[in-house]
């Protein structure tokens, strides 16, 4: 996981996103332990409280859970939760603006579908 301090995105959100990516891509399978707050803070050279804030976001979303005295683990169904979250973000961030712009351009639904198909072919 790499952090970019030049971004406007807070570091704790970058940590949450990095762990989420690892879970989504299978680096941390369900029911396995993720690196501890201390391990992450040492390897990333940042404050443990910042790491904890990012980890706690994933706990609140049900992606991670804590085993007292042991550490943080990937929840059952975490990949699917992440997939749904990302699909919703994709819809809101890309699909809705795409449809809005298509309507402004006077494109019919069929024309927009043809443009999407053309994009998949390229």
């Amino acid at each position: 996981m790499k952090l970019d301090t030049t971004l406007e995105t807070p570091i704790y959100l970058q940590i949450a996103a990095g762990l989420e990516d690892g879970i989504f891509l299978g680096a941390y399978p369900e029911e396995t332990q993720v690196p501890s707050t201390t391990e992450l803070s040492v390897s990333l050279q940042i404050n443990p409280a910042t790491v904890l804030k990012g980890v706690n976001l994933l706990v609140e979303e049900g992606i991670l859970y804590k085993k007292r005295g042991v550490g943080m683990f990937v929840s059952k169904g975490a990949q699917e939760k992440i997939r749904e979250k990302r699909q919703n973000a994709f819809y809101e961030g890309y699909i809705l603006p795409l449809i809005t712009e298509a309507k402004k351009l006077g494109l019919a639904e069929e024309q927009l579908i043809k443009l999407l198909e053309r994009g998949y072919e390229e």
Side-chain angles (χ1 to χ4, degrees), residues 1 19 35-46 51 55:
M1 177 184 326
L19 285 170
S36 72
T37 301
T38 303
E39 290 171 326
L40 287 171
S41 66
V42 168
S43 68
L44 298 171
Q45 300 179 344
I46 59 172
V51 174
V55 168

Side-chain angles (χ1 to χ4, degrees), residues 26-96:
Y28 305 114
E30 292 180 0
E31 300 297 330
T32 62
Q33 190 171 8
V34 296
S36 72
T37 301
T38 303
E39 290 171 326
L40 287 171
S41 66
V42 168
S43 68
L44 298 171
Q45 300 179 344
I46 59 172
N47 188 313
T50 304
V51 174
L52 186 58
K53 192 171 180 182
V55 168
N56 282 338
L57 283 176
L58 298 179
V59 171
E60 289 170 15
E61 293 177 8
I63 293 169
L64 295 178
Y65 69 93
K66 183 177 185 172
K67 283 188 183 178
R68 190 175 186 141
V70 181
M72 294 290 186
F73 289 78
V74 179
S75 300
K76 236 183 173 44
Q79 273 188 324
E80 189 54 37
K81 284 180 185 179
I82 294 168
R83 182 181 327 283
E84 288 175 18
K85 175 182 166 183
R86 290 183 176 194
Q87 285 175 347
N88 288 334
F90 180 76
Y91 177 77
E92 292 173 9
Y94 294 95
I95 302 301
L96 289 179

